Amino acid sequence: MKPKKILIGTTEIAGAFADYRSGYEACGCKVKTLVRQRVNRFEHLSYDYIIEDMLPVFSNGLLQSIRNKLMVILRHLILFFLLLRTDVFHVIWPGDFVKWRYFLPVIRFFRPGLIILFNPVGDDIRWRQAFIQEGEKAGFKISNACKERASGETTHTLEQKLTILRTFEKYADLICSHPSQAQIELRPYRYYYLPMQLDHITYNEKPNDKPILVHAATERAVKGTRLVLDTVDKLRAAGYDFEFRLLESVPNDELLNVLTEADIVVYNPYGRGTGKFGL
């Protein structure tokens, strides 16, 4: 039997592409990865195709405008021809990589045997207004920061998320999602579990003489950072002696090095589930 050919795209989040790739390859599959561009803090990761690197950036406004239009065409063409030679398309955070509601029926016509796995990972489909309502109904106290973040989402934002979600609900063979992002899904889908490679993570089991407490915030408002900082101040005022490290805009490989030294890691006090950092 020939090994399955798998394409993972289109937006990196938390190093998931490398983790999924490792798992697929362990099962004997041939894997390619496609992204629009590299993401902050994960620049060290490699991909087979990076669309934004294929054309130069211009300082001239007119030339840059032409380039941007060519990039849209390039994304559609490259993805189309890659999928013609692919058995499984694993979609992570589709965004506006292509016009999905037009692209998916076309690729279904030309590649009817293609298996499409849609793997939403949070804010790509989460509707925060409903997310807050769920939390309040369940008895959670919702922070003002989270409410402010939700108030910034308009009906246009909802329409964008609904368009992506309904399109993949129609054309995907399998959807793996999670209750924390299921507000506008038509039905509950199979849960997904975050993949993690552990071979590059070093563990230090010996505790430090002065405990090291670490909190990493990609976005303070929704990660509960204000609550963490207030708690740290209260603990210090009460006489507790420890070292506190707040990590922001830190490359992922540097973050892992800091975690090997930590005794306590504070994740997200407002989280209803755990992301990769929590694991």
Side-chain angles (χ1 to χ4, degrees):
M1 179 182 295
K2 291 183 178 180
K4 293 289 185 180
K5 296 179 180 179
I6 297 176
L7 177 67
I8 305 174
T10 56
T11 305
E12 174 67 88
I13 179 168
F17 279 45
D19 291 335
Y20 278 117
R21 178 175 202 151
S22 176
Y24 282 132
E25 290 179 340
C27 295
C29 301
K30 292 184 177 180
V31 183
K32 297 290 184 181
T33 53
L34 167 72
V35 294
R36 183 172 183 168
Q37 59 194 14
R38 297 184 185 277
V39 296
N40 294 334
R41 298 181 293 276
F42 289 91
E43 292 88 348
H44 62 289
L45 297 178
S46 60
Y47 309 93
D48 295 290
Y49 305 96
I50 306 174
I51 303 297
E52 286 293 329
D53 290 353
M54 296 181 179
L55 290 178
V57 176
F58 298 97
S59 57
N60 181 282
L62 177 60
L63 292 177
Q64 184 63 20
S65 177
I66 295 173
R67 175 195 183 272
N68 292 339
K69 293 178 181 178
L70 289 174
M71 292 303 301
V72 175
I73 299 173
L74 193 61
R75 291 199 301 269
H76 283 77
L77 289 176
I78 289 178
L79 181 57
F80 178 80
F81 285 107
L82 285 175
L83 291 180
L84 291 180
R85 305 190 302 272
T86 296
D87 298 305
V88 179
F89 182 27
H90 187 160
V91 187
I92 301 174
W93 203 302
D96 61 350
F97 189 87
V98 296
K99 297 289 185 181
W100 296 105
R101 59 178 170 177
Y102 305 117
F103 182 87
L104 289 184
V106 171
I107 197 62
R108 275 288 188 216
F109 177 81
F110 285 96
R111 187 73 170 89
L114 177 69
I115 296 174
I116 299 176
L117 163 60
F118 179 39
N119 189 181
V121 288
D123 281 350
D124 50 345
I125 65 166
R126 179 184 293 121
W127 179 235
R128 289 185 175 274
Q129 302 280 5
F131 179 71
I132 288 177
Q133 292 177 17
E134 289 178 339
E136 290 176 336
K137 185 176 181 181
F140 290 97
K141 182 180 179 181
I142 309 299
S143 71
N144 290 331
C146 290
K147 292 180 179 179
E148 289 175 5
R149 172 69 182 274
S151 66
E153 292 191 340
T154 64
T155 53
H156 177 65
T157 307
L158 176 59
E159 182 180 357
Q160 291 176 320
K161 296 183 178 185
L162 277 172
T163 298
I164 288 178
L165 183 55
R166 295 294 179 266
T167 300
F168 278 93
E169 285 176 328
K170 182 175 182 179
Y171 293 105
D173 297 280
L174 175 65
I175 297 178
C176 294
S177 187
H178 191 273
S180 70
Q181 60 192 28
Q183 295 79 31
I184 56 176
E185 293 177 351
L186 286 177
R187 59 186 62 84
Y189 297 109
R190 183 182 298 276
Y191 289 3
Y192 74 87
Y193 298 89
L194 292 172
M196 283 191 66
Q197 298 179 77
L198 302 179
D199 53 357
H200 65 294
I201 298 177
T202 303
Y203 295 92
N204 181 14
E205 297 182 358
K206 184 179 179 181
N208 297 293
D209 295 332
K210 178 188 288 189
I212 297 176
L213 188 153
V214 172
H215 173 63
T218 52
E219 187 176 357
R220 287 194 177 201
V222 297
K223 296 298 184 182
T225 302
R226 183 70 266 163
L227 179 60
V228 174
L229 295 177
D230 291 344
T231 303
V232 166
D233 290 340
K234 291 178 182 179
L235 290 172
R236 283 175 170 165
Y240 290 96
D241 185 25
F242 59 90
E243 179 183 344
F244 175 64
R245 299 182 186 179
L246 175 61
L247 305 179
E248 296 179 289
S249 302
V250 175
N252 182 254
D253 49 354
E254 182 179 334
L255 169 67
L256 291 177
N257 290 332
V258 174
L259 292 181
T260 63
E261 304 173 2
D263 297 284
I264 301 172
V265 175
V266 181
Y267 179 51
N268 179 4
Y270 298 137
R272 290 178 60 191
T274 178
K276 203 167 181 182
F277 177 74
L279 291 177

